[in-house]
């Protein structure tokens, strides 16, 4: 049951069909388009003779424009509401997808990919804004979990289903179809989503108000541990896991698509599992940041195993990377719970900005490192190139993980000392 600002009430079924479903469909398509290049990489490389650096830049252009649009989208959502904002942004995305389908040069595809990222940059936040308007706060965490699971379904649809679709059309035809789906989703949101009255015009955030977020100790503590792994998760699972399976494991395209499907499907189970584990831990006095610390440590262990290049584990590691990597999504909940209510809205957009800038740097930088080696006659890059690139990612994540566990030692030592003193007394 939900109510808008005027007191109009909607039944749970109405909220599902008129609010959750249309906006979740936008988030589904956003996740699909974010990760689809992982499967299309061989086709894109063959069509335009791309090297790894170009492939990384092409795919990561989505992330940089996605990141840059976060703060303007946040302001627009407060001013005009998710219904109007999504109509405009999704039509921009549909235009970018059509331009990508028609692109004939590397520069044209990069520009089109950036437009796609710009247009899809508000899908998740618009969905959260719309859902939070129409449901009670106590149900919001579980509904957001369902929304993340829908994103996982979108990422899974970018794998084997896309490979199956390529049996009937090429990648250009596929993007034309996706452009039509995005435009139809914009129409559904406009037609079905209930109108709401905005309480007032939101002021643009000042430099000082943004600095307040970055200066907050809880925000800095959270991003110190989770930001780098979150960027690695987004940057690698959207492109380079597929290329690693193709170049290093030497799996055929069909096998790569299937493993990517399993990996992306793992996001659904991972998101649900993270929520369940965090809730279970909370009942026992364990903070979400502590759950995140253990999860990030396991995530880094998976990457170290990839660096070790043990061939029998390739299939398992590709799935574990995505399954365990979903722990990074807990970052949003930790920030929302640990920061003052007056900062949580700005914190969410600032967090998105940092995550997607980081994902751009990871995706493009990984390609630059791999491209330092020469490919073989089949266009595959050596295992050593990927070992070095993954090793660099591990090195980036270790400092935050080290600081987190070192910060816990004094507290643990103090607790032991207090217990001993109490026992002696």
């Amino acid at each position: 049951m939900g109510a808008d600002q005027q007191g109009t009430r909607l039944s749970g079924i109405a909220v599902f069909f008129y609010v959750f479903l249309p906006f979740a469909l936008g988030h589904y398509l956003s996740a699909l388009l974010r990760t689809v290049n992982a499967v299309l990489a061989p086709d894109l490389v063959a069509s335009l003779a791309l090297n790894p650096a170009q492939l990384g830049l092409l795919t990561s252009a989505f992330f940089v424009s996605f990141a840059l649009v976060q703060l303007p989208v946040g302001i627009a959502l407060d001013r005009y509401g998710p219904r109007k904002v999504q109509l405009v942004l999704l039509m921009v995305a549909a235009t970018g997808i059509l331009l990508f389908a028609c692109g004939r040069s590397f520069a044209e595809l990069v520009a089109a990919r950036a437009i796609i990222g710009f247009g899809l940059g508000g899908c998740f936040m618009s969905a959260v804004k719309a859902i939070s308007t129409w449901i009670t706060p106590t149900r919001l965490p579980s509904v957001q979990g369902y929304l993340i699971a829908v994103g996982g379904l979108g990422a899974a649809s970018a794998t084997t289903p896309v490979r199956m679709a390529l049996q009937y059309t090429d990648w250009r035809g596929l993007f034309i179809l996706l452009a039509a789906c995005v435009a139809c989703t914009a129409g559904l949101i406009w037609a079905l989503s209930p109108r709401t009255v905005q309480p007032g015009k939101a002021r643009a955030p000042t430099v000082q108000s943004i600095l307040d977020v970055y200066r907050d100790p809880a925000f800095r503590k959270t991003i110190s541990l989770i930001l780098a792994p979150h960027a690695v998760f987004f940057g690698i699972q959207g492109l380079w896991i597929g290329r690693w399976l193709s170049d290093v494991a030497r799996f055929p395209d069909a096998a790569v698509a299937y493993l990517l499907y399993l990996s992306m499907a793992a996001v659904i189970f991972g998101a649900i599992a993270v929520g369940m584990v965090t809730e279970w831990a909370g009942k026992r006095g364990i903070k979400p940041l502590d759950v995140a610390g253990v999860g990030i440590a396991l995530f880094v262990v998976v990457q170290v195993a990839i660096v070790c290049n043990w061939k029998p584990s390739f299939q398992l590691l590709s799935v574990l990377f995505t399954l365990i990597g979903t722990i990074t999504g807990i970052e949003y909940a930790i920030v929302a719970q640990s920061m003052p209510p007056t900062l949580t809205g700005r914190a969410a957009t600032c967090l998105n900005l940092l995550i997607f800038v980081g994902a751009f740097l990871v995706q493009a930088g990984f390609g630059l490192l791999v491209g330092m080696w020469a490919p073989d006659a089949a266009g595959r890059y050596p295992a050593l190139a990927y070992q070095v690139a993954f090793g660099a990612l591990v090195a980036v994540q270790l400092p935050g993980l080290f600081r987190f566990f070192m910060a816990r030692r004094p507290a643990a030592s103090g607790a032991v000392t207090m217990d001993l003193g109490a026992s002696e007394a």
Side-chain angles (χ1 to χ4, degrees), residues 171-193:
W171 65 269
R172 296 184 186 277
L174 176 67
F175 271 85
I176 291 173
L177 177 62
L178 288 172
C181 290
V182 170
C184 288
T185 300
L188 282 175
I189 290 174
W190 181 257
L192 297 180
S193 178

Side-chain angles (χ1 to χ4, degrees), residues 92-148:
V92 170
T95 302
I97 298 167
L98 282 176
L99 291 174
F100 195 93
C102 300
R104 298 294 172 181
S105 68
F106 171 68
E108 289 175 354
L109 291 184
V110 169
R113 180 78 174 165
I115 294 172
I116 295 171
F118 184 94
L120 297 177
C123 286
F124 182 77
M125 298 303 293
S126 292
V128 170
K129 177 80 172 179
I131 291 168
S132 62
T133 301
W134 293 98
I135 69 170
T136 56
T138 55
R139 296 192 60 195
L140 190 56
S142 60
V143 176
Q144 286 185 0
Y146 300 145
L147 185 63
I148 293 173

Side-chain angles (χ1 to χ4, degrees), residues 74-105:
I75 299 168
L77 285 174
D78 287 336
R79 287 191 173 190
Y80 307 112
R83 181 171 175 266
K84 292 180 180 179
V85 171
Q86 276 299 83
L87 175 68
V88 174
L89 288 181
L90 288 181
M91 294 310 297
V92 170
T95 302
I97 298 167
L98 282 176
L99 291 174
F100 195 93
C102 300
R104 298 294 172 181
S105 68

Side-chain angles (χ1 to χ4, degrees), residues 329-348:
I330 201 175
E331 194 169 16
Y332 294 101
I334 294 174
V335 166
Q337 292 174 3
S338 59
M339 295 188 65
T342 55
L343 292 178
T344 52
R346 280 170 286 169

